[in-house]
Amino acid sequence: MQQHEQGNHGWSVVHESMALLAGSGSAPDLDRLVESVRRARPRMSTSHLITLIAIALRTAAAQDPRAGALFSPELPPSDRAVLLSQTLGEHRDLVTAVLTGRSNSFTGARRFLVPQLLLGSWAAHRGIDGVRLLDVGTGIGLMLRQLNNKVVFDRFAPELEWSPCTPPYRTLPLEARHGIDAPPLPTLDWVRACHGPSAYYDDRFSEVLWSLRQTAPADGTFTVSALDVLDLPALTRYLRTHRINVVTCNFVLYQYDESTRGQVIEAIREALDPPGLLLGMEPRDGLRRMGARVEAHPTGSAGPLHVADVSDAHVVGRVTAGPGFTELTGLDGRGGR
């Protein structure tokens, strides 16, 4: 992860320190931390664990300026590894609380672009005139605000190229907008902590703040509830109670092991109001490489449709249509039917 292609994600120096400390053969604080988290959250993926450790350290640095040097590339790596060990020991309770009770709630202002266009084409293709949407892992509910907001769409869409052709923009026939996230529900401060400490991520967070201002009139038009997606019976009840027919799940399932991901997907598919759709977007190789893969799970389908690949998980650059694009959208890849 410290050799991620993006290079400017703000976490690489912490990943370097973690690797040095873990490879030193003498890292009792790190070992005890990982062991306790594995016992408390056995279904967490390794990528998510590493990411949460970095976020927890950033949270500690907000209280302890000395720990802020963990994110400084100017400090020699060996010194940073020593500081990491000290920080884990001195802030053990805080770091453990983050790792056992929170999840990465990074909120990308551009990620709604892909669901907006794909769901619009799917609804038109299938003749769906009423979408009752549930956004799983919604965070602060940004996407629920952004959908169908043409001002926000028009700001970000020009920086995203579709190959071979951009799907047409369509207003989604939204009847209801719901979001769920595991308790405690994320706050804007927590979302900020999940952004890397770099100028690049300062820009990404400024896009979140701008989007919140632009979409303020949407407040009150959607519901966000505290519900852990791993509570499959509660998830099923929610889907059926609200007759949800479309679920979006963006950068959430990578946080769990493969078996758990499959269980969540199957529970959603079985509870969707037909004709229903689960549209998911997850990072490539669990955050170890750039980009994301978009998959659709329509009700009645034998398996997932590989709809598209996104070159950058922050949804800038290029979206390339996958083999399931036409089946989902009814488009031939050149914008026509």
Side-chain angles (χ1 to χ4, degrees), residues 104-111 137-143 145-146 181 186-188 190-192 194-195 201 204-209 211-212 250-251 313-314:
N104 181 11
S105 297
F106 177 86
T107 298
R110 300 165 182 261
R111 288 178 174 171
T138 195
I140 55 174
L142 184 62
M143 194 184 78
R145 295 173 167 88
Q146 291 175 308
D181 213 316
T187 64
L188 189 60
W190 175 248
V191 167
R192 181 66 185 97
C194 295
H195 283 65
Y201 275 122
R204 300 289 76 75
F205 188 67
S206 71
E207 294 173 351
V208 171
L209 296 179
S211 296
L212 288 173
N250 298 323
F251 298 87
H314 303 124

Side-chain angles (χ1 to χ4, degrees), residues 104-311:
N104 181 11
S105 297
F106 177 86
T107 298
R110 300 165 182 261
R111 288 178 174 171
F112 86 103
L113 296 173
V114 174
Q116 178 77 59
L117 295 183
L118 292 180
L119 291 177
S121 291
W122 170 78
H125 176 48
R126 296 297 303 271
I128 306 294
D129 57 7
V131 169
R132 297 173 297 281
L133 175 76
L134 173 65
D135 185 34
V136 171
T138 195
I140 55 174
L142 184 62
M143 194 184 78
L144 298 173
R145 295 173 167 88
Q146 291 175 308
L147 289 174
N148 288 347
N149 188 306
K150 196 65 164 54
V151 172
V152 179
F153 181 88
D154 286 343
R155 171 177 173 178
F156 297 128
E159 296 178 62
L160 185 64
E161 178 184 357
W162 289 70
S163 176
C165 188
T166 305
Y169 177 90
R170 291 185 171 96
T171 299
L172 299 178
L174 288 169
E175 289 184 356
R177 311 183 198 198
H178 297 261
I180 60 170
D181 213 316
L185 288 174
T187 64
L188 189 60
D189 286 341
W190 175 248
V191 167
R192 181 66 185 97
C194 295
H195 283 65
S198 66
Y200 175 83
Y201 275 122
D202 288 344
D203 289 343
R204 300 289 76 75
F205 188 67
S206 71
E207 294 173 351
V208 171
L209 296 179
W210 178 85
S211 296
L212 288 173
R213 292 192 297 269
Q214 290 295 320
T215 60
D219 289 347
T221 64
F222 58 90
T223 301
V224 174
S225 302
L227 193 159
D228 191 339
V229 70
L230 298 184
D231 187 345
L232 298 184
L235 175 63
T236 296
R237 286 194 299 271
Y238 195 99
L239 290 164
R240 289 177 174 165
T241 297
H242 298 284
R243 298 184 56 239
I244 300 297
N245 62 348
V246 175
V247 169
T248 50
C249 189
N250 298 323
F251 298 87
V252 173
L253 295 184
Y254 84 91
Q255 299 177 4
Y256 310 111
D257 60 59
E258 185 174 355
S259 174
T260 299
R261 293 196 295 268
Q263 292 170 21
V264 172
I265 289 171
E266 188 59 27
I268 292 173
R269 278 169 45 94
E270 289 183 357
L272 283 172
D273 206 48
L277 178 71
L278 165 60
L279 184 68
M281 181 161 52
E282 298 294 335
R284 294 177 64 194
D285 294 336
L287 294 178
R288 291 185 293 274
R289 298 174 63 193
M290 284 185 67
R293 178 184 174 101
V294 183
E295 288 189 345
H297 302 263
T299 54
S301 176
L305 302 177
H306 177 192
V307 179
D309 293 293
V310 187
S311 63

Side-chain angles (χ1 to χ4, degrees), residues 10-28:
W11 302 112
S12 58
V13 291
V14 171
H15 293 154
E16 180 184 43
S17 302
M18 291 169 61
L20 287 172
L21 186 60
S24 67
S26 178

Side-chain angles (χ1 to χ4, degrees), residues 85-110:
S85 180
Q86 295 171 346
T87 303
L88 290 175
E90 294 169 4
H91 298 277
R92 180 180 59 188
D93 291 345
L94 171 61
V95 172
T96 301
V98 169
L99 295 179
T100 56
R102 304 302 299 258
S103 295
N104 181 11
S105 297
F106 177 86
T107 298
R110 300 165 182 261

